[in-house]
Amino acid sequence: MDLTGYEDYLPAPGESVAVAMSGGVDSSVAACLLAERRCRVIGLTLKMFCYSETDPGERSCCNLESIADARAVCASIGAAHYVLESTGPFRELVIEPFVRDYLAGRTPNPCVNCNTFIKFPHALARARALGAERLATGHYARLLVQSGPVAKGEREVLLARGLDPAKDQSYFLWGLERRDLKHYAFPLGGMDKATVRRIAGGLGLTVSQKKESQEVCFLGQGSLEQFIQQHVGSGDTAGTVPGPLLDESGRRIGTHRGAAFYTLGQRRGVGAATGQPAYVIAVDTASNTVVVGSQERLFSAVFLVSRINYLLRAPESEFEAWIKVRYRHKPVHGRVTPLEGNRARVVFDTPQRAVTPGQSAVFYSDSVVLGGGVIDSLETPEPD
């Protein structure tokens, strides 16, 4: 996509900006950089757990220590700090769908749901109630805006990759509302992690060497398996008890721990004694079966995507894009065909490994995020 005529979209001096602060180094530096730009900064921390019931663990971005760290950073720059009660929405919109997806044999991405349904809309609504014009976060992504005057309407705001490919987090943001992009800010989008830590150290922030939070913040000290077992309903035992482990021919070769605890492409912990590397190639929680096979069986070229969200004007016909199907997946060229019902059909130029239902497929034009959706199902090629 030609970005001639676009520039970084950052708050101007004097603008009132709320910062979603997890207590980590990234959001802390984002708040400090905005204060240095002479913005009026307000700190917001979302409380995701009832701490008397849940221990999210020391590496979570949502524990009591993180709230205290965020408050201390705000105090150091003279910013007000508020804690937003978010336990109910977080449980309903992130944790419960997470468990349901695993029970259905899917592999969800809770960070996408948290950004889409909790962090951004919830914090933005509170920010605007407090008089802030923008909501900033510590995500490594960029917002670009048309420079200079435009002929009609408002200047278009685009979501783009962060400049550091190792830290780019645009993959997790495809679910943001297009109309709200103008209300957000990503001060770290043009930096790498080492630079952010150096800035934090130079500012004397106590969080400068704080460890990264774990990807699934609510698992705490336990395992995924333990978490799902604790959250299944009294009648939701399908997929959570031992069952048949099958090879590609359908022959039983062992017993698995529960189909809901496995994901496509998994090799470690499968427990298949086949004499050669065995990967999970199919999961069926309804029948509580797991199938293992060779790595070649993991490659797919065609799949369907649901819950589509476009960050540019919705296309009316097939379009080309670079597509990611996991956070660490290198984008691959393909074609996206819009379908009825907020869905799309995606065809890769080259088959890709472990395209997994429940994960996100995100569409790019060079560095710009066109949109994305949730991988719904794979299309199996017709036999020759």
Side-chain angles (χ1 to χ4, degrees):
M1 181 173 179
D2 183 8
L3 294 177
T4 303
Y6 284 84
E7 61 188 8
D8 287 323
Y9 183 54
L10 293 171
E15 204 168 350
S16 180
V17 184
V19 183
M21 301 184 66
S22 66
V25 63
D26 296 326
S27 56
S28 297
V29 169
C32 292
L33 291 176
L34 291 169
E36 287 185 351
R37 289 177 68 90
R38 302 191 304 281
C39 295
R40 186 173 77 86
V41 175
I42 303 168
L44 302 177
T45 300
L46 278 66
K47 177 177 174 287
M48 305 293 200
F49 306 98
C50 175
Y51 299 113
S52 65
E53 300 175 358
T54 303
D55 177 14
E58 64 178 11
R59 292 196 64 187
S60 170
C61 60
C62 312
N63 56 30
L64 286 172
E65 179 186 351
S66 296
I67 293 176
D69 288 339
R71 181 176 292 119
V73 171
C74 285
S76 73
I77 59 176
H81 178 259
Y82 300 89
V83 177
L84 309 187
E85 174 56 59
S86 309
T87 55
F90 187 75
R91 180 177 58 253
E92 178 185 352
L93 298 172
V94 178
I95 292 180
E96 291 177 2
F98 176 86
V99 174
R100 286 199 301 269
D101 272 353
Y102 270 105
L103 292 177
R106 298 160 68 87
T107 304
N109 191 315
C111 295
V112 169
N113 281 351
C114 186
N115 287 326
T116 301
F117 301 122
I118 305 294
K119 283 185 179 178
F120 282 84
H122 190 31
L124 178 61
R126 185 58 184 274
R128 299 185 76 175
L130 292 169
E133 299 151 272
R134 305 265 291 272
L135 172 72
T137 75
H139 284 88
Y140 290 82
R142 289 183 298 155
L143 290 172
L144 305 174
V145 66
Q146 290 173 294
S147 56
V150 294
K152 295 181 181 179
E154 296 182 339
R155 296 188 299 165
E156 184 175 44
V157 179
L158 307 177
L159 175 66
R161 302 177 191 273
L163 288 183
D164 179 5
K167 288 297 295 180
D168 168 47
Q169 294 173 306
S170 62
Y171 175 84
F172 299 108
L173 305 178
W174 64 264
L176 300 185
E177 291 282 355
R178 178 188 177 193
R179 66 174 180 267
D180 289 336
L181 291 182
K182 63 185 177 183
H183 298 300
Y184 298 134
F186 302 125
L188 308 187
M191 302 180 185
D192 59 27
K193 187 75 175 194
T195 299
V196 170
R197 288 203 184 276
R198 282 198 299 271
I199 292 172
L203 294 171
L205 300 182
T206 57
V207 298
S208 62
Q209 296 304 316
K210 191 172 184 178
K211 294 180 179 178
E212 297 278 348
S213 59
Q214 65 183 35
E215 185 176 346
V216 183
C217 64
F218 50 81
L219 290 185
Q221 305 299 318
S223 67
L224 169 67
E225 185 172 333
Q226 291 170 330
F227 184 86
I228 294 174
Q229 291 280 24
Q230 291 167 1
H231 285 79
V232 294
S234 57
D236 294 332
T237 56
T240 64
V241 294
L245 184 68
L246 310 177
D247 66 13
E248 295 180 44
S249 69
R251 180 174 60 94
R252 183 165 184 162
I253 58 172
T255 301
H256 62 68
R257 302 185 310 278
F261 310 136
Y262 295 80
T263 187
L264 292 184
Q266 180 178 338
R267 180 182 174 186
R268 295 182 60 184
V270 173
T274 63
Q276 57 186 356
Y279 300 83
V280 174
I281 61 173
V283 173
D284 186 340
T285 53
S287 63
N288 196 30
T289 56
V290 174
V291 182
V292 298
S294 64
Q295 184 164 213
E296 288 72 22
R297 291 288 304 277
L298 288 171
F299 285 80
S300 305
V302 186
F303 58 97
L304 298 179
V305 178
S306 60
R307 215 181 91 193
I308 289 286
N309 181 58
Y310 293 109
L311 293 176
L312 277 74
R313 184 170 58 186
E316 298 179 356
S317 58
E318 178 182 286
F319 61 94
E320 295 184 9
W322 291 90
I323 304 156
K324 290 182 67 169
V325 293
R326 292 180 301 280
Y327 174 45
R328 294 298 183 189
H329 179 233
K330 184 178 179 180
V332 176
H333 188 266
R335 302 181 306 282
V336 182
T337 303
L339 303 174
E340 293 182 355
N342 205 30
R343 299 179 305 136
R345 182 174 185 263
V346 179
V347 181
F348 280 127
D349 291 353
T350 306
Q352 297 298 297
R353 183 185 185 278
V355 179
T356 306
Q359 289 288 292
S360 292
V362 183
F363 316 136
Y364 293 84
S365 175
D366 297 324
S367 65
V368 174
V369 181
L370 302 176
V374 177
I375 299 170
D376 195 45
S377 60
L378 310 183
E379 281 195 15
T380 304
E382 295 292 333
D384 294 333

